[in-house]
Amino acid sequence: MAKAIAKSTVIRGAMAIAIAGVSLATMHIARAADPAPTQVIQVAASEATSRFVPLGIGKSVAIDLPADIKDVLVADPTIANAVVRSSRRVYMIGVKIGQTNIFFFDANGKQIAGFDIAVTRDLNGLRAALRQSMPDADIRIEGVNDGVMLTGSAASAAEAQQAFDLASRLVGDTAKVVNGIAVRGRDQVMLKVTVAEVRRDVIKQLGVDLSGSFNYGSSVVNLNTQNAFSATGQTLSNSALTGNLKGVTATLRAMDRAGVLRTLAEPNLTAISGETASFVVGGEFPIPNGLSCDTTKSPPVCQAQVDFKKFGVSLVFTPVVLTEGRISLKVMTEVSDLSTDNGLTLSVPGSTQTLTIPSISTRRAETTVEIPSGGSLALAGMIQEKTKSQINGVPGLMQLPILGALFKSRDYINNQTELVVIVTPYMVHAVAAKQLSRPDDGFADASDPSSALLGRLNRIYGSNTTKPEPQQPGSNQRGKYGFILD
């Protein structure tokens, strides 16, 4: 009986193994027929789903989340930190300047929220200072790493510069401030400069030259005096009064010279507020700078090297409109012309000719002033008087009373100069072309009969043909009138 039971158990075990083998073979065939399932990789948290949050150093922000927090990820705890006070409230604190991000996850590992943190300078104090100093300006301040960027608009370039200076002072470095402020209305300034100079020169020369001989028995005294005029360096005139008395010839040289020089320059120039404009009218004169000779030829061929020196009227100025009607000006004006004083005379090699290089008389003024629109200010002024007197003669004899005048010459120079520079700025705007006049308005050449018979060069010109002038009461003028060139 027992053997029968054991044999039955073995049979059932063999059947189970056979059934299991069939099942495994069937599963193996099914797996071989079906492809393996694809595994999907998902991004649990990224910057694409993050919100930007600016923070100042030592500043914090409190945020309430919609689900319970299970896990917190801070990319760089040295820049910003997150403190969880409850299951749904968190505090984010700025530590130092930089950028990082913070992510919050729930119990299932899903992202609740993500924040892109930018820790910059605390700009609230700078914003308050700008609002207090410029309440009408629309200027915005943003932090960029450890720097500051100014954006928005200002009424004038002066306001934009003031905001930049204030931000630079609070930040401590101008290189860390980016000025992106746009000026709403850039005013235009026209500067009128008047350079007026009057110069008076007086030169007096008086001298006596003696030539001849005296005979006293066997003794003979020869006279030959020619006293130079050393103050001016030369005699003004070769004309002289000559007389002869008992073999002695006396030549009287006397000359007075008086001259007046008047210089008037009025350059006008227009520029945008904050920009620099320059104006130059004049010319250049050559100055020899060397001589190069070709010695291989006979005779040698020489060629002079020449540099050019400028002279004339120049004006450079930078206007800045501070407030309504007030203008800050940085002005540099110069009036120069050629002069024979202190000129240089050179001899030409290989020739008897001489070359005279003139000097330059210059009046220059450079300064920064503040003037209201339409007001005038004397930028520079000078009154100068220079006197020079010299006496040349025969020692001992020139000190004799009355007779000493025969043995000496006197040279006297007196220079008086008065110079003034006046500047007048105006706020200007563009107008129609027909409202502007030119110096050649109405100019016309004279006809041949008028030029040949009457000696006229041109007709009457200068009348405003675009806008007739109103006739004054009681005036009997008829026809065109204006400037007449004789």
Side-chain angles (χ1 to χ4, degrees), residues 139-223:
I139 299 176
R140 296 181 295 275
I141 309 171
E142 300 295 339
V144 180
N145 290 335
D146 60 343
V148 173
M149 182 174 65
L150 303 177
T151 59
S153 60
S156 63
E159 286 189 356
Q161 185 64 32
Q162 183 180 357
F164 177 79
D165 295 340
L166 182 59
S168 301
R169 181 176 294 274
L170 294 181
V171 170
D173 188 1
T174 58
K176 296 181 180 181
V177 180
V178 179
N179 190 358
I181 302 175
V183 180
R184 291 193 295 268
R186 304 193 69 181
D187 298 316
Q188 297 185 113
V189 179
M190 184 190 75
L191 182 65
K192 178 182 179 181
V193 179
T194 301
V195 181
E197 179 186 16
V198 176
R199 178 178 176 181
R200 179 175 178 266
D201 297 332
V202 176
I203 301 177
K204 297 181 180 180
Q205 292 181 343
L206 178 62
V208 177
D209 296 335
L210 299 177
S211 62
S213 60
F214 292 99
N215 295 324
Y216 293 98
S218 61
S219 300
V220 179
V221 178
N222 295 321
L223 296 176

Side-chain angles (χ1 to χ4, degrees), residues 60-130:
S60 63
V61 60
I63 297 177
D64 291 332
L65 300 178
D68 294 342
I69 304 171
K70 182 63 176 178
D71 190 12
V72 180
L73 173 62
V74 180
D76 191 350
T78 62
I79 295 177
N81 196 6
V83 178
V84 179
R85 302 298 299 175
S86 64
S87 60
R88 295 194 177 187
R89 172 164 291 187
V90 62
Y91 301 129
M92 292 186 295
I93 305 171
V95 180
K96 70 175 184 178
I97 295 176
Q99 292 185 351
T100 186
N101 49 17
I102 301 176
F103 298 100
F104 300 93
F105 303 92
D106 59 8
N108 297 325
K110 293 183 179 180
Q111 178 183 350
I112 302 174
F115 299 95
D116 190 5
I117 309 299
V119 181
T120 59
R121 296 176 179 270
D122 186 13
L123 303 177
N124 292 330
L126 180 57
R127 292 188 181 98
L130 286 177

Side-chain angles (χ1 to χ4, degrees), residues 153-368:
S153 60
S156 63
E159 286 189 356
Q161 185 64 32
Q162 183 180 357
F164 177 79
D165 295 340
L166 182 59
S168 301
R169 181 176 294 274
L170 294 181
V171 170
D173 188 1
T174 58
K176 296 181 180 181
V177 180
V178 179
N179 190 358
I181 302 175
V183 180
R184 291 193 295 268
R186 304 193 69 181
D187 298 316
Q188 297 185 113
V189 179
M190 184 190 75
L191 182 65
K192 178 182 179 181
V193 179
T194 301
V195 181
E197 179 186 16
V198 176
R199 178 178 176 181
R200 179 175 178 266
D201 297 332
V202 176
I203 301 177
K204 297 181 180 180
Q205 292 181 343
L206 178 62
V208 177
D209 296 335
L210 299 177
S211 62
S213 60
F214 292 99
N215 295 324
Y216 293 98
S218 61
S219 300
V220 179
V221 178
N222 295 321
L223 296 176
N224 188 8
T225 61
Q226 187 174 0
N227 300 318
F229 299 102
S230 57
T232 57
Q234 59 182 353
T235 305
L236 295 181
S237 176
N238 294 326
S239 61
L241 181 61
T242 304
N244 189 293
L245 179 61
K246 294 183 179 180
V248 178
T249 302
T251 303
L252 176 63
R253 294 183 296 171
M255 179 59 65
D256 281 357
R257 175 184 292 178
V260 175
L261 174 65
R262 175 178 179 265
T263 303
L264 177 63
E266 292 184 336
N268 297 338
L269 192 60
T270 302
I272 298 176
S273 175
E275 301 294 336
T276 301
S278 61
F279 172 88
V280 177
V281 174
E284 298 180 349
F285 69 96
I287 298 178
N289 192 26
L291 191 67
S292 60
C293 297
D294 186 4
T295 58
T296 60
K297 297 181 181 180
S298 181
V301 178
C302 297
Q303 184 177 3
Q305 299 177 358
V306 178
D307 290 339
F308 290 89
K309 180 68 175 179
K310 296 181 179 180
F311 67 95
V313 179
S314 65
L315 171 63
V316 179
F317 85 109
T318 304
V320 176
V321 180
L322 302 177
T323 56
E324 186 66 26
R326 297 201 64 82
I327 304 170
S328 175
L329 293 175
K330 183 178 181 181
V331 187
M332 195 286 289
T333 180
E334 177 181 326
V335 177
S336 58
D337 51 17
L338 300 180
S339 175
T340 57
D341 298 338
N342 302 322
L344 181 62
T345 301
L346 301 177
S347 59
V348 179
S351 175
T352 59
Q353 297 179 354
T354 58
L355 178 64
T356 301
I357 301 176
S359 61
I360 296 181
S361 176
T362 303
R363 281 79 71 197
R364 182 187 298 114
E366 182 176 0
T367 185
T368 302

Side-chain angles (χ1 to χ4, degrees), residues 440-455:
D440 61 339
D441 286 342
F443 179 86
D445 293 329
S447 61
D448 291 341
S450 178
S451 177
L453 300 179
L454 302 179

Side-chain angles (χ1 to χ4, degrees), residues 4-22:
I5 295 171
K7 190 178 293 184
S8 176
T9 302
V10 172
I11 293 172
R12 286 197 298 267
M15 291 178 64
I17 292 172
I19 293 171
V22 172

